[in-house]
Amino acid sequence: MTGSDEDPRVAELRTAVSRLRRELAAHPAEFPDRVIAEDELAALAAMAAHGTPEVPRLRRSLLLVAGAIGSVSALARSLADVRGAVELFGQTPRR
């Protein structure tokens, strides 16, 4: 689904999430919040697959993933890539 009319931010998010999911799946260590990270990465992948996601939901998922795997240094680079992809969507408007 990589058409010329695709939002490049969505493509970047999809790529970053996919990479982190693969690295998490290959990571041998178990840790308490691994399931949370896997679930939220699946949610991020689903959002990226269905057009432009809602920024508040993106940020919530990012926070949950970061909290779940933030201390796993082997995943830090890919986590930073996901964060960068989420930041491409800009700030949420204040109420």
Side-chain angles (χ1 to χ4, degrees):
M1 188 172 139
T2 57
S4 61
D5 60 343
E6 181 181 33
D7 185 336
R9 300 173 303 168
V10 174
E12 182 71 22
L13 178 63
R14 186 180 312 112
T15 299
V17 168
S18 177
R19 184 179 314 116
L20 182 54
R21 288 179 86 184
R22 282 192 312 273
E23 289 182 15
L24 179 59
H27 191 65
E30 287 298 320
F31 47 92
D33 294 331
R34 185 181 190 123
V35 172
I36 293 169
E38 290 169 342
D39 288 349
E40 287 305 316
L41 286 169
L44 283 167
M47 285 185 262
H50 295 98
T52 304
E54 296 177 24
V55 175
R57 179 68 176 110
L58 281 177
R59 292 188 181 282
R60 179 184 177 277
S61 288
L62 174 62
L63 286 173
L64 288 169
V65 171
I69 65 173
S71 64
V72 181
S73 61
L75 302 173
R77 170 74 185 215
S78 292
L79 179 58
D81 291 345
V82 171
R83 179 180 178 213
V86 168
E87 288 177 352
L88 293 174
F89 288 89
Q91 299 292 328
T92 27
R94 295 196 175 204
R95 296 179 201 202

